[in-house]
Amino acid sequence: MRKNIFFAFAALMMSVSAQAQSLWDRSKPDRTFTFGARAGLNFSSTNMDYATSTRTGFHIGGTADWNIVKSLSVSTGLSYVEKRFRSDFGKGSAGYLQIPVLGSYRIETPTKVQFHFNVGPYFAWGINGKVDYKPYDETFAYNYYQDSFGEKGFFRHFDMGMTAGAYIVIGHLLAGLSYEYGFADIAKVYGKFHNRNVCVTAGYNF
């Protein structure tokens, strides 16, 4: 469902952008470097067998773009991203400092509305979070609380994966959707654990 929403949104933007003046504009950009602020909600989940549902977190950070030509940029930045999960044994959260390295294809319509389509890898380092869980042993009548990261944490610090996003930009304002697919198995215990995340983002470009 989450991926279907993202692809439907991207298809709608592609349909609208077909009316753009040019699908590939090699002219010099107005500015070589641009910067922005971003914030929004995350709808996170995992591929582990006993995961039961998505949970809502948030992200906040800044971006920096190197604009090569009007239709192509390289986008990066630094964000704090909270990814949460719920499973049969409990629930938890994992907060990351995350850096993407994205190719950004951009289309501008005659009305100056822009459409951005970003894809590329992300790299993340876990810094905080808690896991609230109950062991499968039925003799335990209470839950444990444990750090997500660290020497006795549930998860390894390093995560990486691919992200793809589609955005609309009107003036200084930006809004859009992205999807993150984690490649790294971050689990120390309880089998494999790969992050999955849909981000709803709003932003301001300076």
Side-chain angles (χ1 to χ4, degrees), residues 40-116:
L41 296 177
N42 300 329
F43 301 93
S44 306
S45 62
T46 171
N47 72 324
M48 62 182 178
D49 293 337
Y50 36 85
T52 56
S53 64
T54 61
R55 296 189 69 204
T56 304
F58 72 94
H59 60 274
I60 186 168
T63 60
D65 295 350
W66 172 35
N67 305 307
I68 301 170
V69 294
K70 282 193 172 182
S71 286
L72 180 63
S73 299
V74 176
S75 182
T76 187
L78 177 65
S79 296
Y80 175 81
V81 182
E82 182 193 42
K83 299 179 181 181
R84 307 177 74 190
F85 71 94
R86 187 186 304 275
S87 74
D88 293 338
F89 71 85
K91 59 186 178 180
S93 65
Y96 292 90
L97 291 179
Q98 187 161 301
I99 298 174
V101 182
L102 309 175
S104 182
Y105 171 57
R106 301 179 175 188
I107 301 172
E108 185 172 293
T109 70
T111 59
K112 301 301 181 182
V113 174
Q114 293 184 354
F115 298 91
H116 296 183

Side-chain angles (χ1 to χ4, degrees), residues 15-203:
S15 176
V16 175
S17 66
Q19 303 176 24
Q21 290 174 317
S22 173
L23 295 178
W24 182 254
D25 189 344
R26 297 178 59 187
S27 61
K28 184 177 179 180
D30 297 330
R31 298 170 61 186
T32 303
F33 297 98
T34 53
F35 303 90
R38 304 284 186 266
L41 296 177
N42 300 329
F43 301 93
S44 306
S45 62
T46 171
N47 72 324
M48 62 182 178
D49 293 337
Y50 36 85
T52 56
S53 64
T54 61
R55 296 189 69 204
T56 304
F58 72 94
H59 60 274
I60 186 168
T63 60
D65 295 350
W66 172 35
N67 305 307
I68 301 170
V69 294
K70 282 193 172 182
S71 286
L72 180 63
S73 299
V74 176
S75 182
T76 187
L78 177 65
S79 296
Y80 175 81
V81 182
E82 182 193 42
K83 299 179 181 181
R84 307 177 74 190
F85 71 94
R86 187 186 304 275
S87 74
D88 293 338
F89 71 85
K91 59 186 178 180
S93 65
Y96 292 90
L97 291 179
Q98 187 161 301
I99 298 174
V101 182
L102 309 175
S104 182
Y105 171 57
R106 301 179 175 188
I107 301 172
E108 185 172 293
T109 70
T111 59
K112 301 301 181 182
V113 174
Q114 293 184 354
F115 298 91
H116 296 183
F117 303 93
N118 298 350
V119 64
Y122 73 84
F123 305 91
W125 186 260
I127 59 172
N128 68 344
K130 292 285 185 181
V131 177
D132 171 4
Y133 72 100
K134 185 175 181 179
Y136 281 114
D137 187 338
E138 294 181 357
T139 63
F140 287 89
Y142 54 89
N143 284 19
Y144 280 95
Y145 296 89
Q146 189 169 333
D147 289 338
S148 295
F149 302 103
E151 183 178 348
K152 296 182 179 180
F154 260 71
F155 306 124
R156 299 181 178 93
H157 286 280
F158 180 71
D159 186 26
M160 67 166 296
M162 289 293 293
T163 180
Y167 305 88
I168 182 171
V169 181
I170 303 175
H172 291 281
L173 302 179
L174 172 146
L177 291 172
S178 60
Y179 180 72
E180 297 173 357
Y181 188 95
F183 290 157
D185 178 8
I186 65 171
K188 287 184 177 179
V189 293
Y190 294 111
K192 295 182 178 180
F193 191 112
H194 295 79
N195 281 313
R196 306 287 186 258
N197 192 33
V198 170
C199 304
V200 180
T201 302

